Amino acid sequence: MRVLGIDVGFAITGWSILDKDPSYKNGMRLVEYGAILTTPDEQFEQRLLILHTDLDKIIKEFKPEHIAIESLFYFKNQKTVMTVAQARGVILLTAQLNGLEIFNYTPLQVKTSVTGYGRAEKAQIQKMVKMIFGLKEAPKPDDVADAVAIAYCHSNTYRLSKKI
Protein backbone atom coordinates (compact mmCIF):
# COMPACT_ATOMS: atom_id res chain seq x y z
CA MET A 1 0.00 0.00 0.00
CA ARG A 2 1.26 3.48 -0.85
CA VAL A 3 -0.18 6.46 0.99
CA LEU A 4 0.05 10.18 0.36
CA GLY A 5 -0.04 12.15 3.61
CA ILE A 6 -1.20 15.77 3.42
CA ASP A 7 -0.99 18.57 5.96
CA VAL A 8 -3.36 21.15 4.49
CA GLY A 9 -2.21 24.72 4.26
CA PHE A 10 -2.63 27.64 1.95
CA ALA A 11 0.89 29.06 1.87
CA ILE A 12 2.51 25.71 2.75
CA THR A 13 0.97 22.30 2.13
CA GLY A 14 3.14 19.50 3.48
CA TRP A 15 3.10 16.16 1.69
CA SER A 16 4.71 12.75 2.11
CA ILE A 17 4.73 9.39 0.40
CA LEU A 18 4.86 6.30 2.60
CA ASP A 19 4.96 2.64 1.56
CA LYS A 20 3.82 -0.28 3.65
CA ASP A 21 6.95 -2.40 3.44
CA PRO A 22 7.39 -5.43 5.73
CA SER A 23 11.15 -5.45 5.15
CA TYR A 24 11.49 -2.33 7.32
CA LYS A 25 11.55 -2.39 11.11
CA ASN A 26 8.27 -0.54 11.58
CA GLY A 27 6.72 -2.03 8.43
CA MET A 28 6.87 1.28 6.57
CA ARG A 29 9.26 3.10 4.28
CA LEU A 30 9.29 6.86 3.85
CA VAL A 31 9.68 7.31 0.09
CA GLU A 32 9.65 11.10 -0.32
CA TYR A 33 8.36 14.27 1.25
CA GLY A 34 8.16 17.98 0.55
CA ALA A 35 6.00 21.07 0.47
CA ILE A 36 3.82 22.83 -2.05
CA LEU A 37 4.41 26.55 -1.64
CA THR A 38 2.40 29.56 -2.71
CA THR A 39 3.10 33.22 -2.00
CA PRO A 40 0.88 36.15 -1.04
CA ASP A 41 2.02 37.91 -4.23
CA GLU A 42 -0.05 35.46 -6.28
CA GLN A 43 -3.79 35.88 -6.73
CA PHE A 44 -5.96 33.65 -4.58
CA GLU A 45 -7.26 31.64 -7.53
CA GLN A 46 -3.72 31.21 -8.89
CA ARG A 47 -2.59 29.82 -5.54
CA LEU A 48 -5.39 27.23 -5.65
CA LEU A 49 -4.39 26.29 -9.19
CA ILE A 50 -0.74 25.86 -8.12
CA LEU A 51 -1.89 23.60 -5.29
CA HIS A 52 -3.95 21.47 -7.69
CA THR A 53 -1.28 21.31 -10.39
CA ASP A 54 1.60 20.46 -8.03
CA LEU A 55 -0.44 17.86 -6.14
CA ASP A 56 -1.59 16.29 -9.41
CA LYS A 57 2.08 15.95 -10.47
CA ILE A 58 2.98 14.32 -7.15
CA ILE A 59 0.11 11.84 -7.48
CA LYS A 60 1.04 10.98 -11.06
CA GLU A 61 4.73 10.55 -10.19
CA PHE A 62 4.36 8.46 -7.02
CA LYS A 63 1.02 6.72 -7.76
CA PRO A 64 -0.37 6.44 -4.21
CA GLU A 65 -3.50 4.36 -3.60
CA HIS A 66 -4.66 6.27 -0.53
CA ILE A 67 -4.57 9.87 0.61
CA ALA A 68 -4.58 10.62 4.33
CA ILE A 69 -5.50 14.18 5.18
CA GLU A 70 -5.93 16.01 8.45
CA SER A 71 -9.44 17.19 9.27
CA LEU A 72 -9.88 20.89 9.77
CA PHE A 73 -10.02 22.08 13.33
CA TYR A 74 -11.22 25.36 14.79
CA PHE A 75 -9.23 28.45 13.85
CA LYS A 76 -9.55 31.71 15.76
CA ASN A 77 -9.09 33.63 12.51
CA GLN A 78 -12.12 33.08 10.25
CA LYS A 79 -10.26 34.35 7.19
CA THR A 80 -7.60 31.68 7.72
CA VAL A 81 -10.12 28.88 8.10
CA MET A 82 -11.87 29.92 4.89
CA THR A 83 -8.69 29.87 2.79
CA VAL A 84 -7.51 26.59 4.32
CA ALA A 85 -10.96 25.05 3.76
CA GLN A 86 -10.81 26.06 0.11
CA ALA A 87 -7.30 24.60 -0.22
CA ARG A 88 -8.58 21.39 1.40
CA GLY A 89 -11.41 21.28 -1.14
CA VAL A 90 -8.90 21.55 -4.00
CA ILE A 91 -6.85 18.72 -2.47
CA LEU A 92 -9.89 16.48 -2.06
CA LEU A 93 -11.03 17.18 -5.62
CA THR A 94 -7.55 16.44 -6.99
CA ALA A 95 -7.47 13.16 -5.03
CA GLN A 96 -10.94 12.23 -6.28
CA LEU A 97 -10.03 13.02 -9.90
CA ASN A 98 -7.05 10.66 -9.54
CA GLY A 99 -9.14 7.84 -8.04
CA LEU A 100 -7.50 7.83 -4.61
CA GLU A 101 -9.25 6.47 -1.54
CA ILE A 102 -9.58 9.36 0.91
CA PHE A 103 -9.10 8.99 4.67
CA ASN A 104 -9.50 11.79 7.24
CA TYR A 105 -7.78 12.00 10.62
CA THR A 106 -8.13 14.46 13.45
CA PRO A 107 -5.06 16.19 14.89
CA LEU A 108 -5.65 14.18 18.09
CA GLN A 109 -5.53 10.87 16.17
CA VAL A 110 -2.33 11.87 14.37
CA LYS A 111 -0.54 13.06 17.51
CA THR A 112 -1.57 9.97 19.46
CA SER A 113 -0.40 7.66 16.67
CA VAL A 114 3.04 9.26 16.45
CA THR A 115 3.79 10.27 20.04
CA GLY A 116 1.29 8.36 22.17
CA TYR A 117 0.01 11.71 23.45
CA GLY A 118 -2.87 13.56 21.77
CA ARG A 119 -1.76 17.00 22.93
CA ALA A 120 1.83 16.72 21.71
CA GLU A 121 3.61 19.86 20.53
CA LYS A 122 4.99 20.34 17.01
CA ALA A 123 8.56 19.73 18.25
CA GLN A 124 7.53 16.34 19.64
CA ILE A 125 5.97 15.35 16.31
CA GLN A 126 9.16 16.36 14.48
CA LYS A 127 11.36 14.46 16.91
CA MET A 128 9.29 11.28 16.63
CA VAL A 129 9.10 11.43 12.82
CA LYS A 130 12.89 11.76 12.74
CA MET A 131 13.31 8.82 15.11
CA ILE A 132 10.70 6.50 13.55
CA PHE A 133 12.17 6.83 10.07
CA GLY A 134 15.84 7.12 11.08
CA LEU A 135 16.28 10.53 9.45
CA LYS A 136 19.35 12.68 10.02
CA GLU A 137 17.07 15.62 10.74
CA ALA A 138 13.35 16.23 10.99
CA PRO A 139 11.58 17.24 7.77
CA LYS A 140 11.15 21.00 7.52
CA PRO A 141 9.07 23.07 7.61
CA ASP A 142 6.94 21.50 10.34
CA ASP A 143 4.05 21.14 7.86
CA VAL A 144 6.12 18.48 6.09
CA ALA A 145 6.81 16.59 9.35
CA ASP A 146 3.06 16.77 10.02
CA ALA A 147 2.36 15.25 6.57
CA VAL A 148 4.71 12.36 7.38
CA ALA A 149 2.91 11.91 10.73
CA ILE A 150 -0.48 11.86 8.98
CA ALA A 151 0.68 9.17 6.53
CA TYR A 152 2.16 7.20 9.44
CA CYS A 153 -1.13 7.48 11.35
CA HIS A 154 -3.03 6.15 8.34
CA SER A 155 -0.60 3.29 7.78
CA ASN A 156 -0.99 2.16 11.39
CA THR A 157 -4.76 2.69 11.50
CA TYR A 158 -5.40 1.04 8.15
CA ARG A 159 -3.12 -1.90 8.99
CA LEU A 160 -5.11 -2.54 12.15
CA SER A 161 -8.47 -2.49 10.38
CA LYS A 162 -7.53 -4.30 7.16
CA LYS A 163 -5.33 -7.24 6.35
CA ILE A 164 -3.24 -6.28 3.34
Side-chain angles (χ1 to χ4, degrees):
M1 171 184 70
R2 180 165 276 191
V3 60
L4 168 60
I6 296 287
D7 181 53
V8 180
F10 192 62
I12 303 170
T13 294
W15 63 271
S16 69
I17 300 289
L18 196 66
D19 279 344
K20 177 187 181 303
D21 188 334
S23 67
Y24 283 83
K25 180 180 167 187
N26 64 6
M28 291 171 247
R29 180 174 68 94
L30 183 57
V31 176
E32 189 64 76
Y33 53 85
I36 299 170
L37 308 173
T38 66
T39 65
D41 299 341
E42 296 158 322
Q43 288 185 344
F44 178 76
E45 296 81 6
Q46 183 64 28
R47 294 173 83 178
L48 292 175
L49 181 60
I50 289 166
L51 181 57
H52 164 73
T53 303
D54 288 3
L55 183 59
D56 193 59
K57 287 178 189 173
I58 291 164
I59 292 169
K60 286 183 175 22
E61 179 180 349
F62 292 102
K63 299 175 178 44
E65 300 151 319
H66 297 174
I67 183 169
I69 187 167
E70 196 169 62
S71 302
L72 287 182
F73 55 94
Y74 176 75
F75 284 86
K76 290 181 182 179
N77 183 333
Q78 288 186 355
K79 184 177 180 185
T80 301
V81 77
M82 293 301 289
T83 57
V84 173
Q86 290 180 67
R88 190 173 193 278
V90 167
I91 291 166
L92 293 174
L93 177 61
T94 304
Q96 192 68 40
L97 289 171
N98 281 281
L100 301 183
E101 284 189 70
I102 300 167
F103 298 86
N104 296 280
Y105 296 95
T106 66
L108 182 70
Q109 287 174 300
V110 173
K111 291 175 180 182
T112 301
S113 174
V114 175
T115 69
Y117 177 60
R119 304 282 181 229
E121 299 292 326
K122 292 261 186 206
Q124 291 170 292
I125 300 292
Q126 291 172 324
K127 182 178 179 181
M128 289 304 296
V129 163
K130 178 184 170 195
M131 188 180 81
I132 290 167
F133 293 103
L135 303 173
K136 291 181 182 177
E137 56 185 63
K140 295 206 171 118
D142 58 4
D143 310 81
V144 178
D146 289 349
V148 174
I150 293 162
Y152 178 81
C153 174
H154 174 69
S155 294
N156 282 328
T157 303
Y158 192 78
R159 284 190 323 178
L160 293 174
S161 66
K162 305 257 187 203
K163 297 211 187 260
I164 34 179

